[in-house]
Amino acid sequence: MVDAAQPSTCAIPAFGIQHKLMNSGDSSAMYRRCEDLVVCDLDGGSALLDLNTSTYFKLNSTASFIWEKLGDRPMDADMIAEEMIQVYDVDKAVCLPDIQNVLKDLAMAKLITDQP
């Protein structure tokens, strides 16, 4: 249970945060996960807790896939799209803009950062 006085919640549906923050991400930027986050697998997705802000984030299975890939190594949207088309029945041209949106949303939520 979440203490109503502390954290807020933000859901990330199929390919982006529920309340869109930006329309697109930089396809050449390399992203990595930020530190101070606790991750819990859920049925059909993941939950993230930002320990700095006490904010919970809920990711569905597709956003969780992107999150998992960023745990392997810093990646850009194109690299993630290449991984995604190996697992899901989706064309790269279809999933790449959605991946860029998720990356931008995760960056705006300060869950990932550009790799320097």
Side-chain angles (χ1 to χ4, degrees), residues 13-72:
F15 283 107
I17 291 178
Q18 189 170 3
H19 303 289
K20 296 301 272 183
L21 300 171
M22 298 293 279
N23 289 330
S24 64
D26 180 358
S27 62
S28 64
M30 297 293 285
Y31 294 95
R32 64 176 174 82
R33 292 182 189 177
C34 291
E35 297 180 12
D36 297 328
L37 295 168
V38 175
V39 182
C40 176
D41 291 332
L42 301 175
D43 185 31
S46 302
L48 309 178
L49 171 61
D50 183 336
L51 297 175
N52 294 317
T53 64
S54 297
T55 304
Y56 284 94
F57 298 86
K58 184 176 187 282
L59 284 64
N60 73 2
S61 61
T62 307
S64 292
F65 177 87
I66 294 169
W67 179 259
E68 296 264 335
K69 291 301 164 188
L70 293 174
D72 296 339

Side-chain angles (χ1 to χ4, degrees), residues 45-105:
S46 302
L48 309 178
L49 171 61
D50 183 336
L51 297 175
N52 294 317
T53 64
S54 297
T55 304
Y56 284 94
F57 298 86
K58 184 176 187 282
L59 284 64
N60 73 2
S61 61
T62 307
S64 292
F65 177 87
I66 294 169
W67 179 259
E68 296 264 335
K69 291 301 164 188
L70 293 174
D72 296 339
R73 66 185 191 279
M75 298 180 83
D76 64 20
D78 191 66
M79 294 166 70
I80 296 169
E82 289 294 331
E83 299 266 343
M84 187 169 281
I85 63 175
Q86 299 300 316
V87 176
Y88 295 101
D89 183 23
V90 63
D91 291 327
K92 186 174 178 181
V94 172
C95 70
L96 185 58
D98 294 329
I99 291 168
Q100 291 170 330
N101 285 337
V102 171
L103 291 171
K104 190 63 159 179
D105 291 346

